[in-house]
Amino acid sequence: MQKYNDTTYAILGILTTHCHSGYEIKQFIDNSLNHFWKISYGQIYPTLKRLEEEGLATIQTSSQEGKPDRKEYFLTEKGKEVLKGWLEQPLKQLPVERNEVLLKLFFGRHQTKKQSILLLEDYKQKLEKLYQAYEAIEEGIACHSNNHSDAKYWMFTLDYGKRVTEAAIAWCEATIKEL
Amino acid sequence: MQKYNDTTYAILGILTTHCHSGYEIKQFIDNSLNHFWKISYGQIYPTLKRLEEEGLATIQTSSQEGKPDRKEYFLTEKGKEVLKGWLEQPLKQLPVERNEVLLKLFFGRHQTKKQSILLLEDYKQKLEKLYQAYEAIEEGIACHSNNHSDAKYWMFTLDYGKRVTEAAIAWCEATIKEL
DNA sequence: GTTCGCATGTAAAGAGTTACATGATTGT
DNA sequence: ACAATCATGTAACTCTTTACATGCGAAC
């Protein structure tokens, strides 16, 4: 069986929602799974092309006056099976989250105490903004798609983001004190 | 001023410790900053070569009988400056941690409840192992390099790992209950 | 008149992993 | 005999970002 990368599976998954064009997929990513899976146009369009070539999706092109043709992709039965097959597999190993702040702090001996504190305060501030962004998305989902069958799962992922961000903020505060 | 990527800065930083050869650098990474910054030989050796070419490090080659020459790299003044320059800069933006488990759970509607629970239980188990690994490294540092001037900072990064992992484990438990 | 949103895409560069090649010594 | 440790490195491949190209309509 052919293998695909996780970005391909993400796109396969998004095609099961109301999104069917490359543009819509990008929009969807940017305001829902952006915190744990970013994808650029440079990946989306070639991937969609490949999905069609390999029989995982079909294209429906609709011409629009004054605009480029709008290409809508729909999963085939094979596409749905491939997605389900991936969903069933547990992850092989935990990914390593590359963290630039930790990397800098790791070599903190070569910095002044003030610089380390500045680094952590800046990080904390960015984390707080992220936390607020999570809350905003959460409210958006709660309002607009309360009865949506996907909403429950989207909330779970937001809850993860909030909990982990909260822990990171607490670490910033504790570390600043100890420095 | 020339720009380098974070992996290059990581190697620059490691060269300030007792590690000076490619092999030692790899060892060091594998049992200290492996949780938040992995690097493979395929990156280490070409990077070291480039450091020398650009005057950030000098090489001292020592021949050993029956073994390949051992190349030891030492930071030049310029190398130290480049490292410090990087340490001073705050991070531009928070990195996105790509999380395969969240991605799968996001599309959980296409799975059975049992499958989702299995996914999270497996994830939780892996996180618990990671937590134990952090504790083991922590003990190692506490025993062997108590008076080491880097040890304090290494402990901070481990504390981060522990806190965030703890939060993720708690999320797994809460989400399994809610599913 | 310029920017934003819609809508498609490509090319090149950069980042990173994996698999391979070499070869001596030491331990099981 | 075989695997592991020490020790270097490269080539091919995959993945991802960035910058570019095109072009209409609407708002400001």
Side-chain angles (χ1 to χ4, degrees):
Chain A
M1 205 172 88
Q2 183 102 26
K3 271 178 200 168
Y4 302 94
N5 61 30
D6 289 343
T7 291
T8 302
Y9 293 119
I11 291 174
L12 233 36
I14 294 170
L15 288 178
T16 68
T17 68
H18 62 281
C19 298
H20 295 285
S21 72
Y23 190 78
E24 281 175 341
I25 288 170
K26 176 65 172 156
Q27 303 271 97
F28 184 79
I29 289 165
D30 284 351
N31 51 57
S32 65
L33 66 159
N34 208 25
H35 358 289
F36 63 89
W37 215 279
K38 263 191 187 175
I39 312 182
S40 64
Y41 282 126
Q43 284 174 281
I44 292 172
Y45 287 113
T47 301
L48 286 174
K49 200 175 169 184
R50 197 182 156 205
L51 288 184
E52 201 264 331
E53 282 165 6
E54 306 206 356
L56 306 188
T58 51
I59 307 182
Q60 255 178 251
T61 308
S62 54
S63 313
Q64 297 169 107
E65 305 168 35
K67 285 181 187 174
D69 287 359
R70 198 183 130 86
K71 288 191 185 177
E72 291 194 290
Y73 291 79
F74 296 91
L75 288 191
T76 60
E77 273 312 307
K78 192 181 163 195
K80 286 175 194 170
E81 273 169 42
V82 168
L83 176 62
K84 279 193 183 169
W86 170 72
L87 283 171
E88 280 167 21
Q89 291 170 243
L91 84 168
K92 284 129 246 129
Q93 53 184 352
L94 291 176
V96 174
E97 89 159 295
R98 290 200 153 188
N99 191 315
E100 195 189 318
V101 171
L102 292 190
L103 189 59
K104 278 179 174 155
L105 191 66
F106 193 84
F107 300 117
R109 178 164 68 87
H110 306 282
Q111 270 188 323
T112 63
K113 190 186 278 192
K114 204 179 171 183
Q115 275 174 359
S116 297
I117 290 173
L118 239 53
L119 179 75
L120 292 180
E121 273 171 353
D122 175 70
Y123 186 46
K124 191 190 152 197
Q125 204 188 300
K126 286 190 170 73
L127 289 169
E128 278 163 351
K129 270 189 192 163
L130 180 65
Y131 192 91
Q132 284 160 25
Y134 286 140
E135 285 183 323
I137 299 171
E138 207 167 59
E139 273 174 50
I141 294 176
C143 292
H144 299 110
S145 35
N146 217 339
N147 48 353
H148 195 299
S149 51
D150 275 322
K152 187 171 111 185
Y153 297 98
W154 298 355
M155 286 303 213
F156 288 147
T157 66
L158 282 166
D159 185 36
Y160 177 92
K162 281 169 68 183
R163 282 169 184 261
V164 165
T165 304
E166 215 170 24
I169 290 170
W171 169 81
C172 286
E173 286 163 1
T175 308
I176 288 169
K177 272 186 198 163
E178 270 190 72
L179 263 167
Chain B
M1 204 172 89
Q2 184 103 27
K3 273 178 198 167
Y4 303 93
N5 61 30
D6 290 341
T7 292
T8 302
Y9 293 118
I11 291 173
L12 233 36
I14 295 168
L15 289 178
T16 68
T17 67
H18 62 281
C19 298
H20 295 285
S21 71
Y23 189 80
E24 281 176 340
I25 288 170
K26 176 66 173 156
Q27 304 270 99
F28 184 80
I29 289 165
D30 285 351
N31 52 56
S32 65
L33 67 159
N34 207 25
H35 0 288
F36 62 91
W37 215 279
K38 263 190 185 174
I39 312 183
S40 64
Y41 282 126
Q43 283 174 281
I44 293 171
Y45 287 112
T47 300
L48 286 173
K49 200 176 172 185
R50 198 183 155 203
L51 288 183
E52 202 265 332
E53 282 166 4
E54 307 206 355
L56 305 189
T58 51
I59 307 183
Q60 255 178 249
T61 308
S62 54
S63 312
Q64 298 170 108
E65 304 167 35
K67 285 182 187 174
D69 287 358
R70 200 182 128 87
K71 289 191 184 176
E72 291 194 291
Y73 291 79
F74 296 91
L75 288 191
T76 60
E77 274 312 308
K78 192 181 164 194
K80 286 175 194 168
E81 273 169 42
V82 168
L83 176 63
K84 279 192 183 170
W86 169 72
L87 283 171
E88 281 168 19
Q89 292 170 240
L91 83 169
K92 285 129 247 127
Q93 53 184 352
L94 292 174
V96 174
E97 84 156 303
R98 290 199 151 187
N99 191 316
E100 195 188 317
V101 170
L102 291 189
L103 189 59
K104 278 179 175 154
L105 191 65
F106 193 84
F107 300 117
R109 178 163 69 87
H110 306 282
Q111 270 188 324
T112 62
K113 189 187 280 194
K114 204 177 171 182
Q115 276 175 0
S116 297
I117 290 174
L118 238 53
L119 178 75
L120 291 180
E121 273 172 353
D122 175 69
Y123 186 46
K124 190 190 152 197
Q125 205 188 300
K126 288 191 168 76
L127 289 169
E128 278 163 351
K129 269 190 193 165
L130 179 65
Y131 192 91
Q132 285 160 24
Y134 285 138
E135 286 183 321
I137 299 171
E138 207 167 60
E139 274 174 51
I141 293 177
C143 291
H144 299 109
S145 35
N146 217 339
N147 50 353
H148 194 299
S149 51
D150 275 322
K152 186 171 111 187
Y153 298 98
W154 299 355
M155 286 302 211
F156 288 148
T157 66
L158 282 166
D159 185 35
Y160 177 92
K162 281 169 68 183
R163 283 170 183 261
V164 165
T165 305
E166 215 169 23
I169 291 169
W171 169 81
C172 285
E173 285 163 0
T175 307
I176 288 169
K177 271 185 198 161
E178 269 191 71
L179 263 167

